Amino acid sequence: MNRRFGILFAAGTLTVAATATGTATATASPAGGSHAAVTAEIFATDNTAVITDPDDARLKDSLRRFDREVREIVQANGARTGRSTLLDGVFWSSDLKQTTYERSREFDVNHVSADGLHHIADVIRKQYKQESVLTFRHLPRDSPQTNAVDIEAPGVTPRALHDALVEDPVARDELGGGSVTARDGRLILIAPLADLPLAKRFAARLGVDWKKAKVRYGAEEFVG
């Protein structure tokens, strides 16, 4: 299995992103709205199946019950939740040699430490029977702990993401895929820092205007 599919979506896992001072951007105007007051973002799903059909009914689930349950977990562990955004994920499976799909939600979280994020991720991993959980702490670009990037950009559809993955074997093997917000088509892509040039090239294939993209730097951790 490739890095993204094997760890993030083989068993419906979770991504967590936490912000800190020193967030870097590719432009002064953030894509999809400002996250300046947000201290963390959690990308989560309750799915445990591998979905290969883009018309699968599970991809139309709004995950409202899951939304409530994750908020309760976050709050029970001393953090506060903000807005929640529905996501459509498209990923490449090296084992299946085809794209896979995932419905998930992005949660804005406040008042949480790095240790608190790790704990919350582990709680969600266990409750929803996930293989592992990826956490992403936003850090200054020059922090010695920074090893990854969180890229967000407007104007992308799940279909475009699918086609770009199929047409670009290097990007699909190294990056594995990404997510698009269901309401307004905002790309969300977390990649190793070393793969930033590849991610930028892949975004261009998607038709992304890099001047409108927002790039946050940080440290990723797999919890599992």
Side-chain angles (χ1 to χ4, degrees), residues 71-215:
R71 290 176 182 274
E72 290 172 359
I73 292 172
V74 171
Q75 293 167 4
N77 285 277
R80 299 179 185 177
T81 57
R83 70 179 184 179
S84 171
T85 304
L86 194 62
L87 302 177
D88 292 312
V90 184
F91 304 90
W92 176 259
S93 168
S94 295
D95 285 355
L96 299 176
K97 302 301 181 185
Q98 66 180 93
T99 51
T100 62
Y101 303 87
E102 190 75 85
R103 241 315 155 82
S104 62
R105 276 189 172 273
E106 174 190 4
F107 300 86
D108 288 349
V109 181
N110 298 285
H111 303 289
V112 64
S113 66
D115 287 344
L117 276 174
H118 181 99
H119 176 70
I120 291 170
D122 198 41
V123 170
I124 297 176
R125 178 186 67 84
K126 292 175 181 176
Q127 179 159 329
Y128 295 99
K129 297 179 175 60
Q130 308 301 302
E131 284 188 356
S132 62
V133 168
L134 171 64
T135 68
F136 187 95
R137 293 187 297 117
H138 285 261
L139 299 168
R141 181 175 183 174
D142 59 356
S143 169
Q145 298 178 27
T146 294
N147 64 6
V149 290
D150 176 4
I151 301 168
E152 297 188 17
V156 177
T157 66
R159 181 66 189 183
L161 182 56
H162 166 275
D163 291 348
L165 284 174
V166 171
E167 295 168 1
D168 192 333
V170 175
R172 73 192 186 201
D173 287 340
E174 294 298 322
L175 302 176
S179 294
V180 175
T181 55
R183 183 179 65 84
D184 58 2
R186 174 168 49 91
L187 173 71
I188 299 178
L189 176 63
I190 294 179
L193 183 59
D195 285 335
L196 179 56
L198 174 62
K200 185 175 181 178
R201 178 174 63 78
F202 183 66
R205 179 183 286 273
L206 288 166
V208 167
D209 181 351
W210 194 250
K211 294 180 180 179
K212 296 181 179 179
K214 186 168 187 177
V215 181

Side-chain angles (χ1 to χ4, degrees), residues 5 9-12 45-61 89-93 96 98-104:
F5 180 81
F9 291 91
T45 181
D46 61 354
N47 179 61
T48 57
V50 175
I51 300 175
T52 59
D53 180 1
D55 296 320
D56 192 295
R58 288 169 291 186
L59 300 176
K60 302 183 186 301
D61 190 344
V90 184
F91 304 90
W92 176 259
S93 168
L96 299 176
Q98 66 180 93
T99 51
T100 62
Y101 303 87
E102 190 75 85
R103 241 315 155 82
S104 62

